[in-house]
Amino acid sequence: MDDNLDFIDKTTNTKLLMFKGTAEIEFDTDIGLPYFEKAAELGDIKAMMYLGKHYYHEKECSDGDEEVVAVKLMKEYYLKVVKLTNSNIEVMLELGQIYEEEGNYDMMKRFYIQACEFDSTIAMEKLGQYYLHVENKPTVMIKYLEQAIEIILNKCYNLAFYSSPFLYLAKYYRRVKEYELMKKYYLLIIEKGCLRGMRLLGCYYRDVEKNYDLAIKYLKQATMGGWYGTETLHDLGCTYRDMKDYDNMKINFEKAIVDDNSLYSFCKNGNTLVEFAIYYRDIEKNYELMKNNLCRWAIRSRCTCL
């Protein structure tokens, strides 16, 4: 340990310090960190980034005084990075998130706005959500979300990963009953293959317009796969139930129940089993099948809680 400290004290080559620190930290964080601290002291931005990230993760795993110290050190290194580079979007976003968690909205806005100057659609979305939920300024929210959407479309980003602002605006417009604007944003991402957009638009046609043909059209498109496959099969079954097409309802409910390869599916299938039980109680008056589905639901619910 003394040899390590002597090396750190005498070395001014930041690349060498980072190399040694990376090797040491794999085995012992306490031994490796001083190398990064010395490199950061000498002005190495990568070392500052590493230390900021290290203390960011330390914060997540700590509480009490240890968490306070980790947050303080994280901010210290991240603020140095922002001051020296003035263009590190990742650091700006993490600082914005920390200040948001602390309720320090002035500092949060400072870093999110700074990230927006570099076309960060994540920062724009964060600001939009803040202005809607905290300051109750939907027009400002819309401004930031539309700005993010314009950048995503102009730069041809993959909407499989950048659909969030479209979905957020669409859900907002549904809540305020601006249905044409809602459809506009769903259709923009549906054209690019967004399964979640298909599912939500299908549910809208079923629940609001009672247009079952369009509901089935979009829900069937959305059952192609992905995380939302099981959930969409459930929604498709509910659509057929509302149409009193019980044969197709059963087919889709059964598909949703069989598709149970993940904990997520188990949770959603629980809803499907309950819907099945209600059907057998109210429509077929088959109380044995009602109880059977409720027992299946209870067993799955218990498994997901273990």
Side-chain angles (χ1 to χ4, degrees):
M1 184 68 177
D2 290 340
D3 290 340
N4 288 335
L5 292 174
D6 186 55
F7 175 86
I8 292 167
D9 186 53
K10 292 178 179 178
T11 303
T12 57
N13 185 319
T14 58
K15 287 185 179 179
L16 184 56
L17 287 163
M18 293 279 285
F19 177 78
K20 288 277 288 181
T22 302
E24 294 287 357
I25 212 160
E26 288 185 12
F27 302 101
D28 192 325
T29 302
D30 291 337
I31 293 175
L33 276 181
Y35 289 93
F36 288 93
E37 289 166 354
K38 177 64 181 294
E41 185 184 320
L42 293 168
D44 191 285
I45 292 170
K46 288 183 180 179
M48 296 174 199
M49 277 287 294
Y50 178 88
L51 289 165
K53 282 187 174 297
H54 169 77
Y55 288 113
Y56 181 84
H57 293 300
E58 281 286 300
K59 172 191 79 73
E60 299 296 315
C61 305
S62 309
D63 53 27
D65 292 342
E66 288 184 358
E67 183 180 6
V68 171
V69 171
V71 169
K72 179 177 178 293
L73 289 168
M74 184 214 73
K75 287 179 185 175
E76 179 183 318
Y77 286 112
Y78 273 170
L79 287 169
K80 286 179 181 178
V81 172
V82 172
K83 184 178 179 181
L84 290 169
T85 65
N86 199 36
S87 61
N88 194 302
I89 297 171
E90 183 183 356
V91 170
M92 294 171 192
L93 290 172
E94 290 189 1
L95 280 170
Q97 182 180 324
I98 289 294
Y99 285 117
E100 184 176 4
E101 291 169 0
E102 293 177 352
N104 188 339
Y105 296 124
D106 287 338
M107 290 295 287
M108 176 206 78
K109 284 189 273 189
R110 170 187 161 186
F111 289 108
Y112 283 156
I113 289 169
Q114 206 169 344
C116 287
E117 293 172 3
F118 296 94
D119 287 350
S120 169
T121 59
I122 295 172
M124 292 167 195
E125 189 174 354
K126 290 274 192 181
L127 283 168
Q129 292 173 2
Y130 162 78
Y131 277 109
L132 181 64
H133 296 297
V134 180
E135 294 199 14
N136 192 27
K137 293 179 178 178
T139 53
V140 182
M141 178 274 291
I142 291 167
K143 180 193 83 171
Y144 278 111
L145 270 291
E146 286 182 342
Q147 187 180 348
I149 286 167
E150 184 180 358
I151 289 168
I152 290 166
L153 293 175
N154 287 343
K155 295 191 175 183
C156 300
Y157 288 167
N158 187 339
L159 292 185
F161 303 103
Y162 287 90
S163 62
S164 183
F166 297 84
L167 292 166
Y168 193 89
L169 261 185
K171 287 180 180 179
Y172 168 76
Y173 283 125
R174 176 169 177 174
R175 183 162 63 84
V176 298
K177 297 181 168 42
E178 293 276 0
Y179 296 128
E180 291 308 310
L181 285 169
M182 176 208 75
K183 291 177 191 177
K184 169 188 170 183
Y185 289 105
Y186 278 145
L187 289 170
L188 279 170
I189 52 176
I190 286 170
E191 289 172 5
K192 303 296 183 181
C194 178
L195 299 177
R196 192 175 182 192
M198 296 170 196
R199 174 185 165 262
L200 292 171
L201 186 57
C203 289
Y204 160 78
Y205 279 117
R206 179 192 67 201
D207 299 336
V208 179
E209 292 194 14
K210 308 299 180 185
N211 185 330
Y212 296 116
D213 289 339
L214 283 176
I216 289 169
K217 171 189 170 182
Y218 286 110
L219 288 170
K220 278 188 172 179
Q221 286 180 17
T223 58
M224 293 167 60
W227 278 106
Y228 299 99
T230 300
E231 191 171 357
T232 306
L233 287 166
H234 171 88
D235 289 324
L236 192 54
C238 289
T239 304
Y240 284 119
R241 177 204 61 200
D242 293 351
M243 298 167 64
K244 297 184 170 30
D245 182 348
Y246 297 122
D247 288 339
N248 275 312
M249 177 204 77
K250 289 179 184 179
I251 289 168
N252 284 281
F253 277 175
E254 286 293 353
K255 285 180 180 177
I257 292 164
V258 168
D259 184 19
D260 59 2
N261 295 322
S262 69
L263 182 61
Y264 179 87
S265 296
F266 274 124
C267 297
K268 293 301 172 187
N269 289 347
N271 295 336
T272 307
L273 289 165
V274 171
E275 292 287 352
F276 243 150
I278 292 169
Y279 162 77
Y280 283 117
R281 182 194 67 190
D282 296 346
I283 305 301
E284 291 196 11
K285 311 296 182 186
N286 188 328
Y287 300 114
E288 285 304 312
L289 285 175
M290 176 200 77
K291 287 188 282 186
N292 177 268
N293 280 283
L294 286 176
C295 287
R296 291 164 75 191
W297 168 77
I299 290 167
R300 291 190 178 214
S301 298
R302 183 181 177 189
C303 286
T304 57
C305 293
L306 293 177

